[in-house]
Structures are given as structure tokens and as C-alpha cells.
Amino acid sequence: MEIFDKLNAAGIPCSLKTGDDEVIVPGARHIASTVECLDLSAHYEVAVIDEFQMLRDKERGWAWTQAILGVVANDVYLIGNSSGVDITKKILSKTQDLIDVKEKSRHSQLKIIENPVNLNEIQSGDAIIVFSRKGVIEWAEYLRDQGKSVSLIYG
């Protein structure tokens, strides 16, 4: 959704395909999709697969593995953290695909808490990560009903 919004706002027609939404923009030569909705029968000039380290995830890893191995593109860019590099190199060595790793530094620090937080203890600046558009909206409504100020970022 974030890429879809940014490209269209910049005047670059881009379609969208997710499990929740499908928006076909007339004349679009770009498509932003969730990895599960990637059309493996299409040919792309460039494919960007974000969060590629998710191929290590037990529940959704199949989708990234399928995308990395199955996308038909002249160039494929895998974006994500370094935890997926070794397994990706191992997989691509079997297919004899080339991989060129370029590392960039993170501009902000992530802080992961050890124990679940009671929703009544949420403080200003805290983030709740939700993995569907419907879930984002439902949690925002719940928090607003609790008197919390809410900002939504969906991407």
C-alpha cells in the first residue's frame, strides 16, 4: 500500500494487489503487491522483494521462497535484514543464480520488549504492529475507544 500510494502520488501509475485489495490503475506499468499475491506467470523488468528475510518464517516463509525462486525478472532486488542472507545464498547456489550483497546501516534503533504489554499500559510513542488492513483499523478503533490518540501507518 505504501509503494502504491507513493508512486501514484508522484504521478507514476501503479496498480495494487493484496489479499485485501485489488486496484487496477489504467496504464500502470508498475504493480505493488504482497508477496503472496505475486504473479509468477508474468515477466517483470525489475522485481523488488521486500522483507526477504521472512523466507525463514515458519508460517509465511513459503511465499518469500516461492517469490525468490519463481519470479521471472531481468533484475531481482531482495531488501531486508541480514538474517536472510546466508539461507538465500545457500538456496541460490543450488540454482546457480548470482547474488550481490550490499549492506546499509539502519538509521533508527529498534527496541523489542521481552514480555507482552497490557493494552492499558500503552504509552505515547508505542507502536502496535498488525498484519492486515482490517486489523489495523480494528485496533485503532479499540484504542480510540480507550481514549488513546492513534496514528495509522499501513505499508
Side-chain angles (χ1 to χ4, degrees), residues 34-92:
T34 56
V35 71
E36 291 91 347
C37 292
L38 173 63
D39 181 357
L40 295 173
S41 67
H43 179 271
Y44 304 95
E45 288 180 41
V46 176
V48 179
I49 301 172
D50 195 14
E51 302 294 343
F52 83 98
Q53 76 279 357
M54 289 291 292
L55 68 95
R56 300 174 56 101
D57 184 81
K58 290 180 181 176
E59 293 180 20
R60 295 180 64 210
W62 65 268
W64 275 269
T65 304
Q66 176 178 274
I68 291 167
L69 290 173
V71 69
V72 179
N74 298 348
D75 293 298
V76 179
Y77 292 87
L78 306 178
I79 311 293
N81 74 47
S82 61
S83 69
V85 171
D86 288 343
I87 188 72
T88 303
K89 283 182 176 180
K90 192 174 199 176
I91 291 169
L92 295 180

Side-chain angles (χ1 to χ4, degrees), residues 5-139:
D5 288 339
K6 280 184 179 180
L7 288 177
N8 283 298
I12 301 168
C14 178
S15 294
L16 174 72
K17 188 171 184 181
T18 72
D20 296 328
D21 293 306
E22 184 169 355
V23 180
I24 305 302
V25 175
R29 294 185 55 225
H30 300 80
I31 184 164
S33 77
T34 56
V35 71
E36 291 91 347
C37 292
L38 173 63
D39 181 357
L40 295 173
S41 67
H43 179 271
Y44 304 95
E45 288 180 41
V46 176
V48 179
I49 301 172
D50 195 14
E51 302 294 343
F52 83 98
Q53 76 279 357
M54 289 291 292
L55 68 95
R56 300 174 56 101
D57 184 81
K58 290 180 181 176
E59 293 180 20
R60 295 180 64 210
W62 65 268
W64 275 269
T65 304
Q66 176 178 274
I68 291 167
L69 290 173
V71 69
V72 179
N74 298 348
D75 293 298
V76 179
Y77 292 87
L78 306 178
I79 311 293
N81 74 47
S82 61
S83 69
V85 171
D86 288 343
I87 188 72
T88 303
K89 283 182 176 180
K90 192 174 199 176
I91 291 169
L92 295 180
S93 74
K94 304 293 183 196
T95 62
Q96 299 181 349
D97 286 303
L98 301 176
I99 183 169
D100 182 19
V101 177
K102 297 194 190 282
E103 293 188 33
K104 303 288 182 180
S105 60
R106 177 176 285 284
H107 296 288
S108 61
Q109 186 67 18
L110 294 179
K111 181 180 164 187
I112 300 173
I113 59 173
E114 296 296 322
N115 299 307
V117 172
N118 183 316
L119 288 178
N120 296 325
E121 298 172 4
I122 300 239
Q123 299 175 10
S124 179
D126 287 349
I128 298 174
I129 310 301
V130 182
F131 292 96
S132 74
R133 179 179 239 174
K134 180 181 177 199
V136 168
I137 293 167
E138 288 173 350
W139 276 105

Side-chain angles (χ1 to χ4, degrees), residues 136-146 150:
V136 168
I137 293 167
E138 288 173 350
W139 276 105
E141 288 174 6
Y142 172 81
L143 292 168
R144 285 185 183 122
D145 289 346
Q146 303 301 312
V150 176

